[in-house]
Amino acid sequence: MKLISYWQDTTGPTTDYRSTPVPERVDVAVVGGGLTGASAAIALRKQGASVALLEQHTIGWGASGRNGGMATTGLAIGFGTAVRRYGADRAVRMFGAYNDAIDHIEKLVAEYGIDCDFERSGKLTLAYRPSHYEAMLRTQQQLQDLADYQVVTVPEAQIHDEIGSDYYHGATVDPLAAGLHVGKFVHGLARAATDLGAAVCENAGVTTLARRDGGHLVQTSRGTLHADQVLMATSGYTGKVTPWLQRRVIPVGSFIIVTEPLAQDVVDRILPHRRQASDTKNLIYYFRITPDNRLLFGGRAKFAMSRPDSDLKSGRILKRAMVELFPYLAGTRVDYTWGGLVDLSMDQMVHAGEHNGIHYSLCYSGHGVQMATYMGERMARYMAGDRSAHIWGELAFPAVPGHFGPPWFLPLIGAGARVLDAVR
């Protein structure tokens, strides 16, 4: 079993950017070589800005290469909650942004010829309890009435049309969601940015930021540069270089296992339509079939930071959960186990904007494949003066009380989530 992301291990040949010189001066320094950063670098270069994309490790090392490879529709908080919290008009616009984000991925894949197994297989949301399915029926009606948007509900009696498991009490299908190989995708974006003239610099972690001469002095582990603007695209790996942002990002471990390749009849039994699947628990399970017929199965197995011991423990927890859902996989080998950090906010909403001259886009709350890619492009437009691109700017971005460094409070969040799953 490999303690590495399946996506990172199966990307194939990639470009080595570890020796790319760090420029002395650029219009924009983008910090973080994931989906937000690479997408922003492309859009900024198309605007004519000089760009340095600075990555502490390698392209896609963080959340962008450690996720489930799902570009799914819908808000993390759910459409009904968004309506209650923000009103119908704003909720509809927010919901629509996620569909726009998937369209944006599809456009980038076509425009730059990125071979990343992009497929619109649809999203399957599974009801953990009967009451959750009743809520799905209400959301279906709300989407139809308020957004003129159609999803399909699947009652428990018909659940085997969508999944080979008796664990759930119904489901919703949204056909517009997609799956993709995120390792190939993020590296494809980096190549496109390079082809457009961006300087992509790996092993160039940013150590300090300071205001200087109307811009920013950016100190990296491989040299110093001056940038007129800075975009922080560090998601769950946001740290002490930007303490204001660090206090507002909750880095939660999310863990994934991937099985050995499965026989076609087994794949067809698990997910006959190869949907991108997740359930309605607080300690969520999410799963899909990979391009080479493996089952990827993930979740918040432990509210802990990712490290080898946590990854192994979480892998064992996830295999037990996988077999609970799919008992016929009891003897299946697990080939990959890994973890990564999901960036949550207090309100589980995306937050983007500018603070003290530093631009940022963060807190994708488990929906980062599509929204990170989209927000890279939107932030490039915003930084160039297009205020209409600032789709989340009206949201307050409160700090997490008592959060000044390592997230000591994660076990408390996990305990609360387990209680809620037990009673709701």
Side-chain angles (χ1 to χ4, degrees):
M1 185 175 63
K2 297 182 179 181
L3 294 178
I4 184 176
S5 163
Y6 161 83
W7 307 117
Q8 295 169 349
D9 194 46
T10 60
T11 294
T14 59
T15 304
D16 187 341
Y17 303 105
R18 290 174 294 177
S19 60
T20 303
V22 174
E24 292 184 4
R25 188 178 187 94
V26 291
D27 295 323
V28 184
V30 180
V31 183
L35 293 169
T36 304
S39 174
I42 289 172
L44 289 162
R45 281 300 303 142
K46 290 172 76 171
Q47 294 170 359
S50 57
V51 180
L53 180 60
L54 307 171
E55 166 55 41
Q56 182 177 5
H57 298 286
T58 54
I59 294 299
W61 180 90
S64 296
R66 298 171 183 268
N67 56 71
M70 305 178 185
T72 55
T73 52
L75 295 149
I77 61 172
F79 184 69
T81 299
V83 171
R84 292 191 297 273
R85 190 186 290 180
Y86 304 115
D89 290 344
R90 289 174 70 190
V92 168
R93 289 196 301 272
M94 291 171 174
F95 182 89
Y98 282 84
N99 288 338
D100 294 343
I102 301 171
D103 291 343
H104 185 62
I105 290 178
E106 190 168 27
K107 176 183 174 183
L108 289 169
V109 167
E111 184 174 357
Y112 297 106
I114 302 173
D115 181 11
C116 63
D117 303 293
F118 179 89
E119 182 181 2
R120 294 262 191 175
S121 51
K123 175 187 178 183
L124 178 67
T125 306
L126 295 149
Y128 176 56
R129 295 189 181 278
S131 60
H132 298 181
Y133 181 67
E134 294 168 6
M136 288 177 173
L137 294 174
R138 293 192 294 271
T139 298
Q140 179 190 39
Q141 191 64 50
Q142 277 188 312
L143 284 168
Q144 180 176 311
D145 293 345
L146 300 176
D148 193 25
Y149 191 84
Q150 305 297 321
V151 297
V152 177
T153 49
V154 182
E156 185 173 2
Q158 298 172 19
I159 197 70
H160 287 169
D161 294 344
E162 290 290 344
I163 183 172
S165 174
D166 297 318
Y167 192 78
Y168 295 108
H169 299 276
T172 298
V173 173
D174 188 322
L176 296 183
L180 66 157
H181 191 301
V182 289
K184 295 178 180 178
F185 180 57
V186 70
H187 278 276
L189 293 179
R191 284 193 296 272
T194 303
D195 291 344
L196 289 168
V200 177
C201 306
E202 295 176 326
N203 282 5
V206 173
T207 55
T208 60
L209 288 172
R211 300 296 292 269
R212 186 72 57 84
D213 300 329
H216 304 269
L217 190 67
V218 184
Q219 179 70 50
T220 82
S221 57
R222 289 207 287 117
T224 303
L225 73 158
H226 185 278
D228 294 335
Q229 294 178 301
V230 171
L231 173 62
M232 297 301 298
T234 45
S235 293
Y237 299 84
T238 301
K240 61 183 180 181
V241 171
T242 51
W244 188 86
L245 291 174
Q246 184 183 34
R247 290 195 61 206
R248 286 157 173 80
V249 177
I250 305 171
V252 174
S254 190
F255 302 88
I256 296 176
I257 59 174
V258 172
T259 69
E260 63 184 310
L262 304 173
Q264 189 63 49
D265 62 326
V266 177
V267 168
D268 293 341
R269 184 179 181 185
I270 295 170
L271 288 168
H273 305 291
R274 299 177 80 99
R275 311 269 194 219
Q276 314 303 304
S278 63
D279 66 18
T280 56
K281 298 196 313 302
N282 288 284
L283 294 174
I284 185 175
Y285 295 148
Y286 54 91
F287 44 95
R288 58 161 295 186
I289 302 299
T290 66
D292 58 350
N293 277 4
R294 303 168 186 265
L295 177 64
L296 177 151
F297 192 95
R300 315 282 190 263
K302 287 170 58 65
F303 267 72
M305 305 291 277
S306 174
R307 57 180 186 271
D309 59 334
S310 286
D311 292 359
L312 283 170
K313 291 176 183 177
S314 296
R316 289 193 288 269
I317 292 169
L318 288 173
K319 184 171 183 182
R320 289 196 296 270
M322 178 187 75
V323 172
E324 184 179 13
L325 266 64
F326 307 107
Y328 47 90
L329 296 181
T332 301
R333 187 181 73 240
V334 172
D335 283 352
Y336 294 89
T337 297
W338 74 92
L341 298 179
V342 175
D343 52 333
L344 304 181
S345 58
M346 292 282 286
D347 57 5
Q348 294 187 61
M349 296 295 291
V350 179
H351 290 276
E354 180 183 0
H355 177 76
N356 285 348
I358 301 293
H359 291 84
Y360 61 89
S361 182
L362 304 161
C363 298
Y364 303 120
S365 297
H367 292 247
V369 171
Q370 69 279 21
M371 192 48 65
T373 306
Y374 188 53
M375 287 306 299
E377 188 269 344
R378 300 292 293 202
M379 287 306 296
R381 287 170 50 187
Y382 176 71
M383 294 167 72
D386 180 1
R387 292 307 186 247
S388 69
H390 198 5
I391 57 178
W392 309 101
E394 73 277 11
L395 298 178
F397 194 8
V400 180
H403 180 23
F404 297 98
W408 55 268
F409 46 82
L410 290 185
L412 300 177
I413 296 176
R418 282 189 287 272
V419 169
L420 290 175
D421 282 337
V423 301
R424 290 184 182 177

